[in-house]
Amino acid sequence: MHKSDFDPEESAPGGLTRRGWIGTLGALAMTGGLLAGYGTFAAYALRFLYPPRPQDKVWLLVAPVASFAKGDNLSFRTPSGAKVAIARQGDSEDVESFIALGSTCPHLGCQVFWEGQNNRFFCPCHNGEFDPSGKGIGGPPGEAGQSLPRYPLKVETGLLYIQVPAEGLPQPRAELEQV
Ligand code: FES
């Protein structure tokens, strides 16, 4: 009797037929897909049941103070994705020389940056101007009385730190194990 090259009942190494191998591989793929699906579901369920508390704040390292010259502007992004402009406005090595402001313009969302030579934060989209503390003084933000939100800073052992919401950081392992 003639046997086709693709006989599904032909034995393969290990005693399984081709049909058996295909069935086994299919079952493994389905099991992997189910596990991935359940894992994703569990991750979403944990985030829903135990979301980061919005009031939680953390201190994050920005940079060594010595790496900033007076007039420098550094772009920083918080763990939740908010953009922050950190500027050095003074000569001293203490925290009073620095300021951190949310850099998303309250007018239409362009990015604001520190212009040391003009002693202002500036938004190039519509010539928005903010004073060194982030208060709107010109352009649309000035007319609307809008300001940039401020973030706390501190200096310790020559390093500059910023305090930001903990939202967006991975949950501590110990908290997850309490679930
Ligand atoms: S977006 Fe900044 S002034 Fe319009």
Side-chain angles (χ1 to χ4, degrees), residues 89-177:
Q89 299 173 338
D91 290 311
S92 73
E93 300 275 299
D94 53 35
V95 73
E96 277 70 41
S97 286
F98 297 88
I99 189 166
L101 301 173
S103 61
T104 301
C105 182
H107 178 224
L108 290 178
C110 292
Q111 285 306 297
V112 168
F113 59 91
W114 174 243
E115 268 190 354
Q117 72 277 21
N118 294 319
N119 201 36
R120 66 176 183 181
F121 284 92
F122 182 65
C123 176
C125 287
H126 311 99
N127 295 325
E129 285 184 288
F130 303 83
D131 75 6
S133 71
K135 182 178 165 213
I137 53 170
E143 288 161 21
Q146 296 168 313
S147 297
L148 301 169
R150 189 165 181 167
Y151 290 78
L153 292 170
K154 70 176 179 182
V155 171
E156 278 181 8
T157 58
L159 301 173
L160 181 66
Y161 293 85
I162 185 171
Q163 190 181 49
V164 297
E167 185 188 353
L169 284 174
Q171 294 233 8
R173 184 102 189 119
E175 268 191 58
L176 286 175
E177 284 169 353

